mmCIF file with all atom_site columns, all heavy atoms in Angstrom:
data_model
loop_
_atom_site.group_PDB
_atom_site.id
_atom_site.type_symbol
_atom_site.label_atom_id
_atom_site.label_alt_id
_atom_site.label_comp_id
_atom_site.label_asym_id
_atom_site.label_entity_id
_atom_site.label_seq_id
_atom_site.pdbx_PDB_ins_code
_atom_site.Cartn_x
_atom_site.Cartn_y
_atom_site.Cartn_z
_atom_site.occupancy
_atom_site.B_iso_or_equiv
_atom_site.pdbx_formal_charge
_atom_site.auth_seq_id
_atom_site.auth_comp_id
_atom_site.auth_asym_id
_atom_site.auth_atom_id
_atom_site.pdbx_PDB_model_num
ATOM 1   N N   . VAL A 1 1  ? 87.503  134.540 88.509  1.00 95.00 ? 400 VAL A N   1
ATOM 2   C CA  . VAL A 1 1  ? 87.953  134.503 89.869  1.00 95.00 ? 400 VAL A CA  1
ATOM 3   C C   . VAL A 1 1  ? 89.361  134.039 89.987  1.00 95.00 ? 400 VAL A C   1
ATOM 4   O O   . VAL A 1 1  ? 89.793  133.059 89.319  1.00 95.00 ? 400 VAL A O   1
ATOM 5   C CB  . VAL A 1 1  ? 87.003  133.787 90.746  1.00 95.00 ? 400 VAL A CB  1
ATOM 6   C CG1 . VAL A 1 1  ? 87.524  133.819 92.211  1.00 95.00 ? 400 VAL A CG1 1
ATOM 7   C CG2 . VAL A 1 1  ? 85.633  134.226 90.750  1.00 95.00 ? 400 VAL A CG2 1
ATOM 8   N N   . TRP A 1 2  ? 90.220  134.694 90.781  1.00 96.00 ? 401 TRP A N   1
ATOM 9   C CA  . TRP A 1 2  ? 91.559  134.256 90.945  1.00 96.00 ? 401 TRP A CA  1
ATOM 10  C C   . TRP A 1 2  ? 91.472  133.063 91.970  1.00 96.00 ? 401 TRP A C   1
ATOM 11  O O   . TRP A 1 2  ? 90.909  133.137 93.068  1.00 96.00 ? 401 TRP A O   1
ATOM 12  C CB  . TRP A 1 2  ? 92.353  135.379 91.665  1.00 96.00 ? 401 TRP A CB  1
ATOM 13  C CG  . TRP A 1 2  ? 92.796  136.415 90.641  1.00 96.00 ? 401 TRP A CG  1
ATOM 14  C CD1 . TRP A 1 2  ? 92.412  137.621 90.495  1.00 96.00 ? 401 TRP A CD1 1
ATOM 15  C CD2 . TRP A 1 2  ? 93.865  136.203 89.673  1.00 96.00 ? 401 TRP A CD2 1
ATOM 16  N NE1 . TRP A 1 2  ? 93.026  138.260 89.527  1.00 96.00 ? 401 TRP A NE1 1
ATOM 17  C CE2 . TRP A 1 2  ? 93.900  137.460 88.917  1.00 96.00 ? 401 TRP A CE2 1
ATOM 18  C CE3 . TRP A 1 2  ? 94.725  135.183 89.270  1.00 96.00 ? 401 TRP A CE3 1
ATOM 19  C CZ2 . TRP A 1 2  ? 94.761  137.569 87.902  1.00 96.00 ? 401 TRP A CZ2 1
ATOM 20  C CZ3 . TRP A 1 2  ? 95.602  135.389 88.254  1.00 96.00 ? 401 TRP A CZ3 1
ATOM 21  C CH2 . TRP A 1 2  ? 95.620  136.556 87.572  1.00 96.00 ? 401 TRP A CH2 1
ATOM 22  N N   . GLN A 1 3  ? 91.977  131.927 91.607  1.00 93.00 ? 402 GLN A N   1
ATOM 23  C CA  . GLN A 1 3  ? 91.950  130.732 92.468  1.00 93.00 ? 402 GLN A CA  1
ATOM 24  C C   . GLN A 1 3  ? 93.395  130.539 92.927  1.00 93.00 ? 402 GLN A C   1
ATOM 25  O O   . GLN A 1 3  ? 94.361  130.410 92.122  1.00 93.00 ? 402 GLN A O   1
ATOM 26  C CB  . GLN A 1 3  ? 91.614  129.564 91.527  1.00 93.00 ? 402 GLN A CB  1
ATOM 27  C CG  . GLN A 1 3  ? 90.292  129.571 90.864  1.00 93.00 ? 402 GLN A CG  1
ATOM 28  C CD  . GLN A 1 3  ? 89.103  129.377 91.891  1.00 93.00 ? 402 GLN A CD  1
ATOM 29  O OE1 . GLN A 1 3  ? 89.305  128.688 92.809  1.00 93.00 ? 402 GLN A OE1 1
ATOM 30  N NE2 . GLN A 1 3  ? 87.902  130.067 91.650  1.00 93.00 ? 402 GLN A NE2 1
ATOM 31  N N   . PHE A 1 4  ? 93.608  130.655 94.304  1.00 92.00 ? 403 PHE A N   1
ATOM 32  C CA  . PHE A 1 4  ? 94.899  130.446 94.845  1.00 92.00 ? 403 PHE A CA  1
ATOM 33  C C   . PHE A 1 4  ? 95.187  128.980 94.985  1.00 92.00 ? 403 PHE A C   1
ATOM 34  O O   . PHE A 1 4  ? 94.350  128.272 95.558  1.00 92.00 ? 403 PHE A O   1
ATOM 35  C CB  . PHE A 1 4  ? 95.029  131.308 96.185  1.00 92.00 ? 403 PHE A CB  1
ATOM 36  C CG  . PHE A 1 4  ? 95.097  132.785 95.814  1.00 92.00 ? 403 PHE A CG  1
ATOM 37  C CD1 . PHE A 1 4  ? 93.931  133.550 95.698  1.00 92.00 ? 403 PHE A CD1 1
ATOM 38  C CD2 . PHE A 1 4  ? 96.332  133.299 95.856  1.00 92.00 ? 403 PHE A CD2 1
ATOM 39  C CE1 . PHE A 1 4  ? 94.082  134.843 95.508  1.00 92.00 ? 403 PHE A CE1 1
ATOM 40  C CE2 . PHE A 1 4  ? 96.477  134.688 95.581  1.00 92.00 ? 403 PHE A CE2 1
ATOM 41  C CZ  . PHE A 1 4  ? 95.282  135.418 95.293  1.00 92.00 ? 403 PHE A CZ  1
ATOM 42  N N   . LEU A 1 5  ? 96.348  128.630 94.664  1.00 84.00 ? 404 LEU A N   1
ATOM 43  C CA  . LEU A 1 5  ? 96.707  127.145 94.574  1.00 84.00 ? 404 LEU A CA  1
ATOM 44  C C   . LEU A 1 5  ? 97.001  126.753 96.090  1.00 84.00 ? 404 LEU A C   1
ATOM 45  O O   . LEU A 1 5  ? 97.729  127.514 96.827  1.00 84.00 ? 404 LEU A O   1
ATOM 46  C CB  . LEU A 1 5  ? 97.942  126.861 93.818  1.00 84.00 ? 404 LEU A CB  1
ATOM 47  C CG  . LEU A 1 5  ? 97.716  127.289 92.271  1.00 84.00 ? 404 LEU A CG  1
ATOM 48  C CD1 . LEU A 1 5  ? 98.992  127.113 91.502  1.00 84.00 ? 404 LEU A CD1 1
ATOM 49  C CD2 . LEU A 1 5  ? 96.615  126.494 91.732  1.00 84.00 ? 404 LEU A CD2 1
ATOM 50  N N   . GLN A 1 6  ? 96.507  125.708 96.420  1.00 78.00 ? 405 GLN A N   1
ATOM 51  C CA  . GLN A 1 6  ? 96.725  125.207 97.870  1.00 78.00 ? 405 GLN A CA  1
ATOM 52  C C   . GLN A 1 6  ? 97.929  124.442 98.012  1.00 78.00 ? 405 GLN A C   1
ATOM 53  O O   . GLN A 1 6  ? 98.471  123.736 97.120  1.00 78.00 ? 405 GLN A O   1
ATOM 54  C CB  . GLN A 1 6  ? 95.513  124.329 98.225  1.00 78.00 ? 405 GLN A CB  1
ATOM 55  C CG  . GLN A 1 6  ? 94.208  124.963 98.217  1.00 78.00 ? 405 GLN A CG  1
ATOM 56  C CD  . GLN A 1 6  ? 94.192  126.201 99.186  1.00 78.00 ? 405 GLN A CD  1
ATOM 57  O OE1 . GLN A 1 6  ? 94.590  126.024 100.280 1.00 78.00 ? 405 GLN A OE1 1
ATOM 58  N NE2 . GLN A 1 6  ? 93.707  127.419 98.654  1.00 78.00 ? 405 GLN A NE2 1
ATOM 59  N N   . HIS A 1 7  ? 98.504  124.324 99.236  1.00 76.00 ? 406 HIS A N   1
ATOM 60  C CA  . HIS A 1 7  ? 99.716  123.665 99.569  1.00 76.00 ? 406 HIS A CA  1
ATOM 61  C C   . HIS A 1 7  ? 99.423  122.092 99.481  1.00 76.00 ? 406 HIS A C   1
ATOM 62  O O   . HIS A 1 7  ? 98.334  121.768 99.915  1.00 76.00 ? 406 HIS A O   1
ATOM 63  C CB  . HIS A 1 7  ? 100.361 124.055 100.851 1.00 76.00 ? 406 HIS A CB  1
ATOM 64  C CG  . HIS A 1 7  ? 101.402 123.242 101.356 1.00 76.00 ? 406 HIS A CG  1
ATOM 65  N ND1 . HIS A 1 7  ? 102.694 123.326 100.842 1.00 76.00 ? 406 HIS A ND1 1
ATOM 66  C CD2 . HIS A 1 7  ? 101.482 122.247 102.355 1.00 76.00 ? 406 HIS A CD2 1
ATOM 67  C CE1 . HIS A 1 7  ? 103.401 122.456 101.400 1.00 76.00 ? 406 HIS A CE1 1
ATOM 68  N NE2 . HIS A 1 7  ? 102.755 121.739 102.232 1.00 76.00 ? 406 HIS A NE2 1
ATOM 69  N N   . ILE A 1 8  ? 100.248 121.343 98.960  1.00 80.00 ? 407 ILE A N   1
ATOM 70  C CA  . ILE A 1 8  ? 100.193 119.909 98.936  1.00 80.00 ? 407 ILE A CA  1
ATOM 71  C C   . ILE A 1 8  ? 101.209 119.330 99.846  1.00 80.00 ? 407 ILE A C   1
ATOM 72  O O   . ILE A 1 8  ? 102.469 119.572 99.607  1.00 80.00 ? 407 ILE A O   1
ATOM 73  C CB  . ILE A 1 8  ? 100.318 119.328 97.546  1.00 80.00 ? 407 ILE A CB  1
ATOM 74  C CG1 . ILE A 1 8  ? 99.196  119.818 96.637  1.00 80.00 ? 407 ILE A CG1 1
ATOM 75  C CG2 . ILE A 1 8  ? 100.301 117.801 97.722  1.00 80.00 ? 407 ILE A CG2 1
ATOM 76  C CD1 . ILE A 1 8  ? 99.270  119.391 95.225  1.00 80.00 ? 407 ILE A CD1 1
ATOM 77  N N   . ASN A 1 9  ? 100.793 118.604 100.844 1.00 81.00 ? 408 ASN A N   1
ATOM 78  C CA  . ASN A 1 9  ? 101.828 117.933 101.845 1.00 81.00 ? 408 ASN A CA  1
ATOM 79  C C   . ASN A 1 9  ? 102.491 116.738 101.163 1.00 81.00 ? 408 ASN A C   1
ATOM 80  O O   . ASN A 1 9  ? 101.794 116.020 100.445 1.00 81.00 ? 408 ASN A O   1
ATOM 81  C CB  . ASN A 1 9  ? 101.073 117.517 103.119 1.00 81.00 ? 408 ASN A CB  1
ATOM 82  C CG  . ASN A 1 9  ? 100.657 118.768 103.880 1.00 81.00 ? 408 ASN A CG  1
ATOM 83  O OD1 . ASN A 1 9  ? 101.356 119.824 104.009 1.00 81.00 ? 408 ASN A OD1 1
ATOM 84  N ND2 . ASN A 1 9  ? 99.465  118.685 104.365 1.00 81.00 ? 408 ASN A ND2 1
ATOM 85  N N   . ALA A 1 10 ? 103.689 116.718 101.552 1.00 85.00 ? 409 ALA A N   1
ATOM 86  C CA  . ALA A 1 10 ? 104.458 115.332 101.184 1.00 85.00 ? 409 ALA A CA  1
ATOM 87  C C   . ALA A 1 10 ? 103.875 114.233 101.986 1.00 85.00 ? 409 ALA A C   1
ATOM 88  O O   . ALA A 1 10 ? 103.250 114.404 103.077 1.00 85.00 ? 409 ALA A O   1
ATOM 89  C CB  . ALA A 1 10 ? 105.917 115.504 101.456 1.00 85.00 ? 409 ALA A CB  1
ATOM 90  N N   . PRO A 1 11 ? 103.974 112.982 101.534 1.00 85.00 ? 410 PRO A N   1
ATOM 91  C CA  . PRO A 1 11 ? 103.358 111.775 102.225 1.00 85.00 ? 410 PRO A CA  1
ATOM 92  C C   . PRO A 1 11 ? 104.211 111.508 103.590 1.00 85.00 ? 410 PRO A C   1
ATOM 93  O O   . PRO A 1 11 ? 105.446 111.650 103.499 1.00 85.00 ? 410 PRO A O   1
ATOM 94  C CB  . PRO A 1 11 ? 103.503 110.732 101.244 1.00 85.00 ? 410 PRO A CB  1
ATOM 95  C CG  . PRO A 1 11 ? 104.546 111.092 100.379 1.00 85.00 ? 410 PRO A CG  1
ATOM 96  C CD  . PRO A 1 11 ? 104.568 112.584 100.141 1.00 85.00 ? 410 PRO A CD  1
ATOM 97  N N   . ILE A 1 12 ? 103.421 111.205 104.538 1.00 86.00 ? 411 ILE A N   1
ATOM 98  C CA  . ILE A 1 12 ? 104.061 110.897 105.846 1.00 86.00 ? 411 ILE A CA  1
ATOM 99  C C   . ILE A 1 12 ? 103.174 109.713 106.487 1.00 86.00 ? 411 ILE A C   1
ATOM 100 O O   . ILE A 1 12 ? 101.955 109.564 106.155 1.00 86.00 ? 411 ILE A O   1
ATOM 101 C CB  . ILE A 1 12 ? 104.145 112.085 106.869 1.00 86.00 ? 411 ILE A CB  1
ATOM 102 C CG1 . ILE A 1 12 ? 102.697 112.659 107.174 1.00 86.00 ? 411 ILE A CG1 1
ATOM 103 C CG2 . ILE A 1 12 ? 105.063 113.117 106.417 1.00 86.00 ? 411 ILE A CG2 1
ATOM 104 C CD1 . ILE A 1 12 ? 102.676 113.642 108.190 1.00 86.00 ? 411 ILE A CD1 1
ATOM 105 N N   . GLY A 1 13 ? 103.825 109.055 107.334 1.00 85.00 ? 412 GLY A N   1
ATOM 106 C CA  . GLY A 1 13 ? 103.093 107.969 108.068 1.00 85.00 ? 412 GLY A CA  1
ATOM 107 C C   . GLY A 1 13 ? 102.634 106.829 107.124 1.00 85.00 ? 412 GLY A C   1
ATOM 108 O O   . GLY A 1 13 ? 103.044 106.686 106.067 1.00 85.00 ? 412 GLY A O   1
ATOM 109 N N   . GLY A 1 14 ? 101.673 106.074 107.638 1.00 85.00 ? 413 GLY A N   1
ATOM 110 C CA  . GLY A 1 14 ? 101.132 104.891 106.908 1.00 85.00 ? 413 GLY A CA  1
ATOM 111 C C   . GLY A 1 14 ? 101.611 103.565 107.401 1.00 85.00 ? 413 GLY A C   1
ATOM 112 O O   . GLY A 1 14 ? 102.617 103.422 108.058 1.00 85.00 ? 413 GLY A O   1
ATOM 113 N N   . ALA A 1 15 ? 100.787 102.560 107.137 1.00 87.00 ? 414 ALA A N   1
ATOM 114 C CA  . ALA A 1 15 ? 101.122 101.164 107.574 1.00 87.00 ? 414 ALA A CA  1
ATOM 115 C C   . ALA A 1 15 ? 102.305 100.642 106.741 1.00 87.00 ? 414 ALA A C   1
ATOM 116 O O   . ALA A 1 15 ? 103.198 99.926  107.254 1.00 87.00 ? 414 ALA A O   1
ATOM 117 C CB  . ALA A 1 15 ? 99.927  100.271 107.531 1.00 87.00 ? 414 ALA A CB  1
ATOM 118 N N   . ASN A 1 16 ? 102.195 100.799 105.381 1.00 87.00 ? 415 ASN A N   1
ATOM 119 C CA  . ASN A 1 16 ? 103.183 100.248 104.463 1.00 87.00 ? 415 ASN A CA  1
ATOM 120 C C   . ASN A 1 16 ? 103.929 101.484 103.813 1.00 87.00 ? 415 ASN A C   1
ATOM 121 O O   . ASN A 1 16 ? 103.253 102.199 103.000 1.00 87.00 ? 415 ASN A O   1
ATOM 122 C CB  . ASN A 1 16 ? 102.603 99.367  103.474 1.00 87.00 ? 415 ASN A CB  1
ATOM 123 C CG  . ASN A 1 16 ? 101.867 98.190  104.054 1.00 87.00 ? 415 ASN A CG  1
ATOM 124 O OD1 . ASN A 1 16 ? 102.606 97.551  104.926 1.00 87.00 ? 415 ASN A OD1 1
ATOM 125 N ND2 . ASN A 1 16 ? 100.696 97.808  103.611 1.00 87.00 ? 415 ASN A ND2 1
ATOM 126 N N   . ILE A 1 17 ? 105.172 101.661 104.185 1.00 88.00 ? 416 ILE A N   1
ATOM 127 C CA  . ILE A 1 17 ? 105.922 102.749 103.527 1.00 88.00 ? 416 ILE A CA  1
ATOM 128 C C   . ILE A 1 17 ? 106.769 102.365 102.453 1.00 88.00 ? 416 ILE A C   1
ATOM 129 O O   . ILE A 1 17 ? 107.578 101.444 102.571 1.00 88.00 ? 416 ILE A O   1
ATOM 130 C CB  . ILE A 1 17 ? 106.752 103.437 104.670 1.00 88.00 ? 416 ILE A CB  1
ATOM 131 C CG1 . ILE A 1 17 ? 105.842 104.031 105.723 1.00 88.00 ? 416 ILE A CG1 1
ATOM 132 C CG2 . ILE A 1 17 ? 107.590 104.569 104.074 1.00 88.00 ? 416 ILE A CG2 1
ATOM 133 C CD1 . ILE A 1 17 ? 106.544 104.579 106.885 1.00 88.00 ? 416 ILE A CD1 1
ATOM 134 N N   . ASP A 1 18 ? 106.610 102.909 101.292 1.00 88.00 ? 417 ASP A N   1
ATOM 135 C CA  . ASP A 1 18 ? 107.256 102.677 100.027 1.00 88.00 ? 417 ASP A CA  1
ATOM 136 C C   . ASP A 1 18 ? 108.285 103.892 99.940  1.00 88.00 ? 417 ASP A C   1
ATOM 137 O O   . ASP A 1 18 ? 107.792 104.931 99.476  1.00 88.00 ? 417 ASP A O   1
ATOM 138 C CB  . ASP A 1 18 ? 106.349 102.532 98.883  1.00 88.00 ? 417 ASP A CB  1
ATOM 139 C CG  . ASP A 1 18 ? 107.100 102.165 97.565  1.00 88.00 ? 417 ASP A CG  1
ATOM 140 O OD1 . ASP A 1 18 ? 108.213 102.439 97.519  1.00 88.00 ? 417 ASP A OD1 1
ATOM 141 O OD2 . ASP A 1 18 ? 106.449 101.600 96.716  1.00 88.00 ? 417 ASP A OD2 1
ATOM 142 N N   . LEU A 1 19 ? 109.511 103.674 100.249 1.00 88.00 ? 418 LEU A N   1
ATOM 143 C CA  . LEU A 1 19 ? 110.488 104.770 100.240 1.00 88.00 ? 418 LEU A CA  1
ATOM 144 C C   . LEU A 1 19 ? 110.819 105.216 98.816  1.00 88.00 ? 418 LEU A C   1
ATOM 145 O O   . LEU A 1 19 ? 111.003 106.497 98.632  1.00 88.00 ? 418 LEU A O   1
ATOM 146 C CB  . LEU A 1 19 ? 111.793 104.309 100.916 1.00 88.00 ? 418 LEU A CB  1
ATOM 147 C CG  . LEU A 1 19 ? 111.663 104.036 102.428 1.00 88.00 ? 418 LEU A CG  1
ATOM 148 C CD1 . LEU A 1 19 ? 113.043 103.604 103.043 1.00 88.00 ? 418 LEU A CD1 1
ATOM 149 C CD2 . LEU A 1 19 ? 111.240 105.409 103.148 1.00 88.00 ? 418 LEU A CD2 1
ATOM 150 N N   . GLU A 1 20 ? 110.809 104.343 97.851  1.00 91.00 ? 419 GLU A N   1
ATOM 151 C CA  . GLU A 1 20 ? 111.073 104.739 96.558  1.00 91.00 ? 419 GLU A CA  1
ATOM 152 C C   . GLU A 1 20 ? 109.840 105.588 96.020  1.00 91.00 ? 419 GLU A C   1
ATOM 153 O O   . GLU A 1 20 ? 110.128 106.662 95.261  1.00 91.00 ? 419 GLU A O   1
ATOM 154 C CB  . GLU A 1 20 ? 111.169 103.564 95.652  1.00 91.00 ? 419 GLU A CB  1
ATOM 155 C CG  . GLU A 1 20 ? 112.482 102.815 95.810  1.00 91.00 ? 419 GLU A CG  1
ATOM 156 C CD  . GLU A 1 20 ? 112.650 101.663 94.883  1.00 91.00 ? 419 GLU A CD  1
ATOM 157 O OE1 . GLU A 1 20 ? 111.831 101.487 93.894  1.00 91.00 ? 419 GLU A OE1 1
ATOM 158 O OE2 . GLU A 1 20 ? 113.557 100.749 95.116  1.00 91.00 ? 419 GLU A OE2 1
ATOM 159 N N   . ALA A 1 21 ? 108.636 105.229 96.255  1.00 90.00 ? 420 ALA A N   1
ATOM 160 C CA  . ALA A 1 21 ? 107.481 106.009 95.917  1.00 90.00 ? 420 ALA A CA  1
ATOM 161 C C   . ALA A 1 21 ? 107.487 107.406 96.530  1.00 90.00 ? 420 ALA A C   1
ATOM 162 O O   . ALA A 1 21 ? 107.272 108.403 95.856  1.00 90.00 ? 420 ALA A O   1
ATOM 163 C CB  . ALA A 1 21 ? 106.152 105.238 96.163  1.00 90.00 ? 420 ALA A CB  1
ATOM 164 N N   . ARG A 1 22 ? 107.842 107.432 97.909  1.00 89.00 ? 421 ARG A N   1
ATOM 165 C CA  . ARG A 1 22 ? 107.933 108.611 98.530  1.00 89.00 ? 421 ARG A CA  1
ATOM 166 C C   . ARG A 1 22 ? 109.025 109.602 98.081  1.00 89.00 ? 421 ARG A C   1
ATOM 167 O O   . ARG A 1 22 ? 108.789 110.775 97.888  1.00 89.00 ? 421 ARG A O   1
ATOM 168 C CB  . ARG A 1 22 ? 108.032 108.412 100.053 1.00 89.00 ? 421 ARG A CB  1
ATOM 169 C CG  . ARG A 1 22 ? 106.817 107.928 100.704 1.00 89.00 ? 421 ARG A CG  1
ATOM 170 C CD  . ARG A 1 22 ? 106.898 108.140 102.128 1.00 89.00 ? 421 ARG A CD  1
ATOM 171 N NE  . ARG A 1 22 ? 105.608 107.599 102.669 1.00 89.00 ? 421 ARG A NE  1
ATOM 172 C CZ  . ARG A 1 22 ? 105.207 107.497 103.817 1.00 89.00 ? 421 ARG A CZ  1
ATOM 173 N NH1 . ARG A 1 22 ? 106.095 107.959 104.801 1.00 89.00 ? 421 ARG A NH1 1
ATOM 174 N NH2 . ARG A 1 22 ? 104.144 107.093 104.175 1.00 89.00 ? 421 ARG A NH2 1
ATOM 175 N N   . THR A 1 23 ? 110.113 109.025 97.625  1.00 89.00 ? 422 THR A N   1
ATOM 176 C CA  . THR A 1 23 ? 111.154 109.826 97.104  1.00 89.00 ? 422 THR A CA  1
ATOM 177 C C   . THR A 1 23 ? 110.705 110.425 95.753  1.00 89.00 ? 422 THR A C   1
ATOM 178 O O   . THR A 1 23 ? 111.009 111.631 95.436  1.00 89.00 ? 422 THR A O   1
ATOM 179 C CB  . THR A 1 23 ? 112.417 108.931 96.849  1.00 89.00 ? 422 THR A CB  1
ATOM 180 O OG1 . THR A 1 23 ? 112.779 108.496 98.166  1.00 89.00 ? 422 THR A OG1 1
ATOM 181 C CG2 . THR A 1 23 ? 113.508 109.721 96.244  1.00 89.00 ? 422 THR A CG2 1
ATOM 182 N N   . ALA A 1 24 ? 110.099 109.669 94.913  1.00 91.00 ? 423 ALA A N   1
ATOM 183 C CA  . ALA A 1 24 ? 109.471 110.088 93.639  1.00 91.00 ? 423 ALA A CA  1
ATOM 184 C C   . ALA A 1 24 ? 108.490 111.198 93.901  1.00 91.00 ? 423 ALA A C   1
ATOM 185 O O   . ALA A 1 24 ? 108.460 112.265 93.157  1.00 91.00 ? 423 ALA A O   1
ATOM 186 C CB  . ALA A 1 24 ? 108.972 109.009 92.831  1.00 91.00 ? 423 ALA A CB  1
ATOM 187 N N   . ILE A 1 25 ? 107.626 111.039 94.815  1.00 89.00 ? 424 ILE A N   1
ATOM 188 C CA  . ILE A 1 25 ? 106.576 112.053 95.175  1.00 89.00 ? 424 ILE A CA  1
ATOM 189 C C   . ILE A 1 25 ? 107.169 113.349 95.535  1.00 89.00 ? 424 ILE A C   1
ATOM 190 O O   . ILE A 1 25 ? 106.818 114.428 95.099  1.00 89.00 ? 424 ILE A O   1
ATOM 191 C CB  . ILE A 1 25 ? 105.486 111.479 96.067  1.00 89.00 ? 424 ILE A CB  1
ATOM 192 C CG1 . ILE A 1 25 ? 104.652 110.393 95.378  1.00 89.00 ? 424 ILE A CG1 1
ATOM 193 C CG2 . ILE A 1 25 ? 104.537 112.662 96.539  1.00 89.00 ? 424 ILE A CG2 1
ATOM 194 C CD1 . ILE A 1 25 ? 103.813 109.566 96.359  1.00 89.00 ? 424 ILE A CD1 1
#
């Protein structure tokens, strides 16, 4: 079967935001 790849959202929100981790992701 053809499996269509799903969209992955970038991280948003959260109580503790790690800007370096988000930039890397």
Side-chain angles (χ1 to χ4, degrees):
V400 179
W401 286 105
Q402 303 285 332
F403 286 83
L404 304 178
Q405 299 299 313
H406 173 74
I407 298 175
N408 293 319
I411 56 172
N415 298 314
I416 298 174
D417 183 337
L418 293 178
E419 289 179 16
R421 287 197 179 179
T422 300
I424 292 168

